Structures are given as C-alpha cells and as structure tokens.
Amino acid sequence: GAVVSQHPSWVICKSGTSVKIECRSLDFQATTMFWYRQFPKQSLMLMATSNEGSKATYEQGVEKDKFLINHASLTLSTLTVTSAHPEDSSFYICSARDTQGLAMGEQFFGPGTRLTVL
Amino acid sequence: QKEVEQDPGPLSVPEGAIVSLNCTYSNSAFQYFMWYRQYSRKGPELLMYTYSSGNKEDGRFTAQVDKSSKYISLFIRDSQPSDSATYLCAMSEGFKTIFGAGTRLFVKA
C-alpha cells in the first residue's frame, strides 16, 4: 500500500523559533500533498494544498507567511511553522494523493507530527 | 449547515457487536467516499473507499453509499477491542476532500 512518512514525529520548541516538518511519499509519486491540523478530539482541518513545483493554496484563515509550504519534488513537501507560539501547538498531519491512482479522492496520510511550543 | 455531518459519539459497544457508523452530506457532487480509522496520536488510515453508490465489503467491514439519501455507512461485524478508534468519513468530488468530525468508538472486552 501507499506509505507516507512524516518527520519528526514530535517536536518541542521555544516560542519564537521556527520548526520544519517533512512529509514524504515513500512508494509513489504525489503531485498533490495536503497539510492538516488537528486539535484534540476534533476532526482534521485542512490548512493548505501543496502542488509540486507551484505555490501552495491556503485555506481561508491560514496565514501563509506563518505556515510556509514547499513542495519541491514529487515525493517531498515541507511545512515550516515560523516564529512559533504556544497557540501553534497541535497535531500536524500531511497526506498525499497518488498521481497514478484511479482514486481521485483517495488520500494517504502520514503518521502526524505533534508540535509543542513552550 | 456543514457539508458533512457525523455524530462524534462516543459509541461504546461490547466485543462481538455489530457497529454502525454513519455520515450525511449535502453536496450532491461528491462521488468518492472514504472511511478512515485513526488511533490516538496517529495519522488516519484508509479503511474503505467507494466510488458512487453501492456496497463494498472487506473482511469484517462493509461500506454503503446511498447517494439518493446523501447517506453513507460503515458496518463493523464481530467488533474487537482493537477496533477502538476514531472513525472519520470523508468524501470528495474529485479534488477537495471533506472530512466528518469523526466518531469515537470503544469496543469493550
């Protein structure tokens, strides 16, 4: 099956620092990757859609200057949380869509990254 | 009105019970319907995927889609404690996927 990895799985940082999270599709190519945020006991909130080689599309209310997304290759997308603050503490999950797949709606999720900002 | 409605539960059942999880939606353009299982502090795992209406079975899991009623279901037969997780429905019209809030399921041994 399609495997998506995320690194790191958890990170603790001081307020004001920047944190980079990597999302990789290990056994398939993904022209489109998605970044989600999830608060405890809540559903996934889509932050942005990342397309390889182009700028990410951000959802309403998500600060593009704060959450920098880069999708430099068909297997790697990164999310950088700049000048992180305690309210940015959350579970960040990426997903990827297989370019070769027949399933237009199907997404494969990474294991998530838990960010704690002190 | 949310595009996808899902009862967050929690739903508690004894081991061996048949579990029924449901979602309703409002966008008739949705064609792709998915169920994901998410364990605590983990990313969602795709369980079932259905295109358009109909039933799909995979082991103890059966997914049903009724587009006329805008209603989808996931049935779990012979539920096990290991099935305890949050189940998210998701649907897409081909590009953007909308997720339900997730139903927390507890299967008691």
Side-chain angles (χ1 to χ4, degrees), chain A residues 6-81:
Chain A
Q6 265 184 259
H7 178 80
S9 56
W10 60 271
V11 56
I12 302 173
C13 69
K14 292 182 179 180
S15 184
T17 60
S18 294
V19 175
K20 180 185 281 189
I21 302 170
E22 291 187 350
C23 177
R24 293 181 185 272
S25 57
L26 299 185
D27 52 1
F28 66 99
Q29 294 184 327
T31 54
T32 304
M33 289 185 171
F34 304 88
W35 286 96
Y36 294 86
R37 186 173 179 176
Q38 187 176 37
F39 293 104
K41 299 183 182 180
Q42 294 188 27
S43 190
L44 302 166
M45 183 192 81
L46 180 64
M47 299 174 65
T49 301
S50 168
N51 293 296
E52 185 263 340
S54 63
K55 291 183 179 180
T57 302
Y58 290 82
E59 295 299 302
Q60 191 172 12
V62 178
E63 300 176 58
K64 59 182 67 178
D65 293 332
K66 180 166 187 62
F67 298 100
L68 300 179
I69 291 173
N70 182 274
H71 193 161
S73 76
L74 286 172
T75 59
L76 173 65
S77 177
T78 60
L79 167 68
T80 301
V81 183

Side-chain angles (χ1 to χ4, degrees), chain B residues 23-34:
Chain B
C23 288
T24 59
Y25 62 95
S26 57
N27 187 349
S28 57
F30 287 142
Q31 297 184 71
Y32 305 90
F33 304 91
M34 287 77 69

